[in-house]
Amino acid sequence: MNDYQNIFQRKITALQQSNNYRYFLNVNKSARHFPFFYFDQQGETKRAINFCSNDYLGMSVDEEVISKLSFVLHQSGTGSGGTRNISGTTNHHQSLEQTIAAWHQKESALLFGGAYLANLTSLQTIGRHIKELIFISDERNHASIIEGIRNSGNSKVIFRHNDIQHLEELLQSLPADKPKMIVFESVYSMNGSIAPVKEIIRLAKKYNALTYIDEVHAVGLYGETGAGICEQENLLQEIDIINGTLAKAVGVIGGYIAASQTIIDFIRSYGSGFIFTTSLPPANCAAAEKSINLIQVQQQHRARMHGTVNYLRRLLEAEAIHFISNDSHITPVLIADAAKCKIIADKLLEQHGVYVQPVNYPTVPVGEECLRIIVTARHTREQVAQLVKNLKQVLLEESTHHMQKQPA
Ligand SMILES: Cc1ncc(COP(=O)(O)O)c(C=O)c1O
């Protein structure tokens, strides 16, 4: 007889032994005190500062967004009560889709429970309905993209991360008459690199491929109105499908794609992960739309965030703390050892009230374990200076400890 519990337990034990087991901290958010939060330590409630939230602009605690959510919540109730096709579409859903489409300069947009589901469903649906289509995917693409491509059952080729030359070699090697789609992200969530979007589009046009970009970590933060890297690079009209989230810089929940009316109608009509699931609550849609409207005109918040990121990097350099250099707002401090990464993060929290989540395999490849530092528009320079001071101290303690353990 199969001992199912034992099979599962062995899998868990393997993760624990490789230091890749995930521990969750209860980060009890405070709308009043963000980026501070509260957590329990040995029966006591403690306060700490969050340096790894993707609520980049602090929109989840914005008074106007909260008021909008609360107002529509009392008007419409908590849940939508249905799939989009069966009583789950409201004015708030339609209005949000129109706002998103206009933001990305596309004809239409489609809402999903999250950007993960949007990637999974869109890629899988396109692949399943164009059997000949070959996916050409960046090696660092997010799990939702990998799963979507895998689930389609279509052929795929992987190009080296942001490597235009390799991408062209692959495009050249594929049959010219076969349909193709290049799938990539604009800001890569873990190493913070930014894709050469213009070059990728140029190759897509040359080899007649569709383009699909995940702007999840760029939405709200780049471009005149915060629509992302494609807006910043003036490429919104050139890209075929844009994926984004309402859960990070927008501060609410949900995901979407924006594209031509025909592509959106196609996914709306055939996408299993769109059709057979309850739609987002109306109040969340209204709050997300409010947040986008604010983001579009509040350039000062993203400017402030980018300014604080630069400040953080100057301080890290001054302290000789090595981070992966990039042009985005994500600052990964490379530790390159899963166990050490966790020890440093634990010490930062327990001794200094600083929360930075260690990022380990499989989120990053083995050897690239890091502390992914995020400063939001709400962090002050004093808080950042304190973080660097604390980090320096913990890193020093760790290296002294390591040296003491080395044989003489
Ligand atoms: C690159 C990327 N795409 C998609 C997602 C999924 O977005 P969501 O949280 O809205 O499902 C994430 C992380 O959450 C991400 O990092």
Side-chain angles (χ1 to χ4, degrees), residues 37-101:
F37 67 96
Y38 297 88
F39 71 107
D40 300 323
Q41 196 179 39
Q42 288 151 3
E44 254 186 81
T45 299
K46 297 234 168 123
R47 191 168 104 135
I49 185 164
N50 192 340
F51 274 102
C52 55
S53 171
N54 288 330
D55 187 3
Y56 297 124
L57 299 172
M59 296 310 280
S60 83
V61 297
D62 182 279
E63 267 311 317
E64 287 187 71
V65 175
I66 295 173
S67 298
K68 185 75 185 183
L69 191 133
S70 159
F71 180 75
V72 179
L73 189 61
H74 286 97
Q75 261 189 345
S76 305
T78 50
S80 77
T83 63
R84 285 295 292 272
N85 192 39
I86 308 176
S87 95
T89 297
T90 66
N91 284 348
H92 298 292
H93 294 84
Q94 282 204 324
S95 178
L96 175 57
E97 284 176 339
Q98 280 160 10
T99 295
I100 291 168

Side-chain angles (χ1 to χ4, degrees), residues 5-23:
Q5 296 304 316
N6 201 12
I7 296 170
F8 298 134
Q9 189 53 54
R10 280 208 307 273
K11 290 275 169 197
I12 295 168
T13 307
L15 279 181
Q16 286 164 336
Q17 283 170 347
S18 61
N19 290 308
N20 290 317
Y21 186 69
R22 287 165 199 250
Y23 298 91

Side-chain angles (χ1 to χ4, degrees), residues 114-117 119 142 144 185 189 214 216-217 243 245-248 254-255:
Y116 187 103
L117 195 57
N119 275 337
H142 187 254
S144 54
E185 299 177 23
S189 57
D214 175 321
V216 161
H217 289 274
N243 164 278
T245 184
L246 302 170
K248 300 188 194 291

Side-chain angles (χ1 to χ4, degrees), residues 331-343:
T331 308
V333 170
L334 196 64
I335 306 294
D337 180 297
K340 200 168 155 194
C341 211
K342 171 143 176 49
I343 291 170

Side-chain angles (χ1 to χ4, degrees), residues 173-297:
S173 72
L174 298 171
D177 58 337
K178 284 267 163 77
K180 304 168 193 76
M181 181 188 267
I182 305 173
V183 190
F184 61 111
E185 299 177 23
S186 56
V187 174
Y188 284 82
S189 57
M190 291 302 145
N191 65 7
S193 61
I194 298 186
V197 185
K198 197 173 183 168
E199 284 297 288
I200 293 178
I201 291 173
R202 185 182 63 75
L203 289 181
K205 292 201 167 152
K206 184 169 168 192
Y207 293 90
N208 192 22
L210 281 167
T211 43
Y212 184 108
I213 192 166
D214 175 321
E215 288 249 44
V216 161
H217 289 274
V219 158
L221 307 181
Y222 299 85
E224 179 65 20
T225 69
I229 296 291
C230 289
E231 183 188 31
Q232 180 178 275
E233 304 291 313
N234 203 13
L235 294 167
L236 282 169
Q237 309 275 351
E238 314 292 323
I239 201 107
D240 294 303
I241 304 173
I242 297 176
N243 164 278
T245 184
L246 302 170
K248 300 188 194 291
V250 177
V252 189
I253 190 74
Y256 61 83
I257 55 165
S260 71
Q261 206 262 328
T262 308
I263 291 178
I264 295 299
D265 204 14
F266 164 73
I267 306 287
R268 188 185 74 86
S269 309
Y270 287 96
S272 175
F274 172 78
I275 300 170
F276 300 105
T277 182
T278 303
S279 64
L280 288 170
N284 290 77
C285 294
E289 188 174 358
K290 180 78 203 171
S291 176
I292 292 171
N293 291 154
L294 293 171
I295 287 170
Q296 286 171 329
V297 295

Side-chain angles (χ1 to χ4, degrees), residues 56 140 161-162 186-195 217 221-222 229 232 305-306 309-314 316-317 321-334 364 368 370-375:
Y56 297 124
R140 286 296 177 103
H161 180 52
N162 281 349
S186 56
V187 174
Y188 284 82
S189 57
M190 291 302 145
N191 65 7
S193 61
I194 298 186
H217 289 274
L221 307 181
Y222 299 85
I229 296 291
Q232 180 178 275
M305 189 203 71
H306 291 297
V309 171
N310 289 339
Y311 179 69
L312 163 71
R313 292 176 180 197
R314 284 202 301 278
L316 289 174
E317 270 162 5
I321 298 175
H322 177 60
F323 60 92
I324 300 172
S325 147
N326 58 52
D327 292 325
S328 77
H329 58 285
I330 295 165
T331 308
V333 170
L334 196 64
V364 291
E368 291 186 24
C370 64
L371 299 171
R372 177 180 175 273
I373 302 179
I374 297 296
V375 294

